[in-house]
Amino acid sequence: GGKMFYSIPEHQLPKEILNKEIKTITDLGVTIHTSCQVQSVQTLFKQGYDSVLLSTGVLGVDEGLLLPCDETAKSDLIKGSDFLKGIKSTTKETLGDKVIVIGGGSEAYNSAFAAKNLGVSEVNLVCSRHTGSKEASPEEVDRAIDAGVTVQPSLDFVKLVKLNDKIEGVELFRIRSYGYDKENKLHYEIINDTRRLISADTIITTVAQNDKPGSDYLSVVQPGVFAAGDGISGARSVIEAMAAGRSVAGLIDKYLGGEGNLDETLAPPEKTIKPLGEPKGQNRSQVELNLVKQAGGDKVEIEKTLSPNAAKKEAQRCLRCDIVHQVHDYSLDTSSCTYCGRCVDACYWDAITNGYGYEAAAKKRKAEAAALEEKNSVYNYAIRILPIAIGLMILAAAIAKLST
């Protein structure tokens, strides 16, 4: 509860509620030791513990929580040392258009730079946290990035993808928790909507088999050690932290001989509700606002929670915009979009995305509006000058008639 207790403001997470939650945990028999420094999981095993969970949070990212890397297809990978030794006889044609380098040390960045220098159009470096070998210098990192190497986030889990016994690329995703069972088999839970596939013609690895931290390292490289939370997934929400704790608790329970199933029925199952044919429109329940004084002295508006009656009314309100409004045709004024992303968050059906294509459409719309305005200005100018031209023609005709 350190991050929740000291970093989240009182009006967002009251300390009274947090203390009650912590007391519920201690009442179950959990003993909390504070002001303790643990530098080795082996020390804990020697004290008689059967399992260890590392949940150091964001501040523990650089303290040794190295993500594992799938090693099921090592035979199809090119070793970084072999690649650099044979660089003189290597050509772009032998590597292909897309190259992935696995690793985060000096050898990885040098291999990525060498591949880019050969003319490879796309080079991605994954597993960018330094693991084994020699650590990359700032000059090596800058040189590779300046050459056009794309460095993927260090918290991405890397899994090799094969098709018909041939390496096709790597799949990157964030994991909520992971650990090894008694057979040293890796288990993990993937966070939804974080999967990304990077295709490759050639994959170079600089992670050797012996690139594992020593016994004095906080690492998840042996049975009985698990990891979860922001330390492996990056900074996320309190809800995600709770989900990570529940996920890794199942893994630990299974490791210790249980079934690993910690599902609970906290509410009766909902009955299937048929879609409303013609739902009645209801206004959104108003949320009460309070003025809260910040540390600097400024006051900000903070939303309070809904009352029980308002919450029930809000839960009954239909949010199915596709049913309430029978949309047959629509148009978007992209020129008025400020790219705040609130419509993306609000859309229940994930039907709206905010990307570069949308921004390009907005620029196109603005250009079209400017062209139309210019065209209209020419037309308006012609309309204004036309009566003058007609008047001059009549005057010229009258003068010619008088002269004759």
Side-chain angles (χ1 to χ4, degrees), residues 13-313:
L13 182 59
K15 302 297 184 290
E16 180 183 356
I17 295 177
L18 188 58
N19 285 325
K20 287 182 179 179
E21 295 289 341
I22 295 174
K23 186 177 184 303
T24 301
I25 296 173
T26 55
D27 288 346
L28 293 174
V30 176
T31 303
I32 301 176
H33 299 278
T34 59
S35 302
C36 297
Q37 186 176 13
V38 179
Q39 295 182 338
S40 171
V41 294
Q42 301 300 328
T43 304
L44 298 175
F45 282 127
K46 290 177 181 178
Q47 293 177 8
Y49 293 101
D50 299 313
S51 180
V52 176
L53 167 63
L54 303 177
S55 56
T56 55
V58 175
L59 295 180
V61 168
D62 295 325
E63 298 298 329
L65 289 185
L66 303 179
L67 295 187
C69 181
D70 188 2
E71 301 175 351
T72 57
K74 281 190 173 181
S75 58
D76 296 323
L77 307 182
I78 300 176
K79 291 183 179 180
S81 56
D82 296 340
F83 170 69
L84 292 175
K85 288 178 183 177
I87 192 67
K88 292 184 178 180
S89 60
T90 305
T91 63
K92 175 190 174 184
E93 286 68 26
T94 58
L95 295 177
D97 293 328
K98 299 180 180 180
V99 171
I100 291 177
V101 179
I102 300 177
S106 173
E107 189 177 282
Y109 280 94
N110 286 329
S111 298
F113 173 75
K116 195 67 180 177
N117 209 31
L118 286 173
V120 177
S121 58
E122 184 178 321
V123 179
N124 283 275
L125 190 146
V126 300
C127 233
S128 58
R129 186 90 54 78
H130 166 57
T131 55
S133 69
K134 177 186 175 183
E135 188 172 0
S137 65
E139 291 77 15
E140 290 172 328
V141 176
D142 291 340
R143 184 179 65 170
I145 294 176
D146 290 342
V149 175
T150 302
V151 180
Q152 302 297 331
S154 60
L155 289 176
D156 280 339
F157 185 90
V158 181
K159 182 178 180 181
L160 304 178
V161 178
K162 296 181 69 175
L163 181 63
N164 298 327
D165 294 329
K166 180 185 176 184
I167 289 289
E168 292 291 320
V170 298
E171 186 180 25
L172 303 180
F173 48 83
R174 295 289 176 94
I175 54 178
R176 182 170 284 122
S177 61
Y178 75 98
Y180 290 85
D181 60 19
K182 294 181 178 180
E183 286 73 36
N184 210 28
K185 183 179 179 182
L186 178 64
H187 296 270
Y188 53 82
E189 181 182 354
I190 301 174
I191 299 178
N192 293 334
D193 302 327
T194 62
R195 290 178 179 268
R196 293 184 296 124
L197 179 64
I198 301 180
S199 59
D201 302 308
T202 302
I203 298 183
I204 302 170
T205 179
T206 62
V207 181
Q209 262 185 335
N210 59 355
D211 283 348
K212 291 186 177 180
S215 59
D216 59 342
Y217 213 69
L218 291 179
S219 58
V220 188
V221 293
Q222 59 180 310
V225 185
F226 300 84
D230 292 353
I232 62 172
S233 65
R236 302 182 75 85
S237 65
V238 174
I239 299 298
E240 277 287 352
M242 295 172 65
R246 191 175 190 84
S247 169
V248 77
L251 294 178
I252 295 175
D253 179 66
K254 195 170 184 179
Y255 173 79
L256 297 176
E259 297 181 355
N261 184 6
L262 303 179
D263 291 341
E264 296 178 274
T265 302
L266 302 178
E270 294 185 357
K271 297 180 181 180
T272 303
I273 302 176
K274 295 182 179 180
L276 298 175
E278 295 180 358
K280 295 181 180 179
Q282 292 180 335
N283 294 327
R284 185 176 182 179
S285 300
Q286 296 298 316
V287 181
E288 185 179 349
L289 299 177
N290 272 1
L291 285 177
V292 176
K293 190 175 182 180
Q294 292 183 316
D298 297 332
K299 291 185 177 181
V300 294
E301 288 186 343
I302 301 298
E303 291 185 349
K304 296 185 67 176
T305 57
L306 293 172
S307 65
N309 289 335
K312 290 179 181 179
K313 184 178 179 181

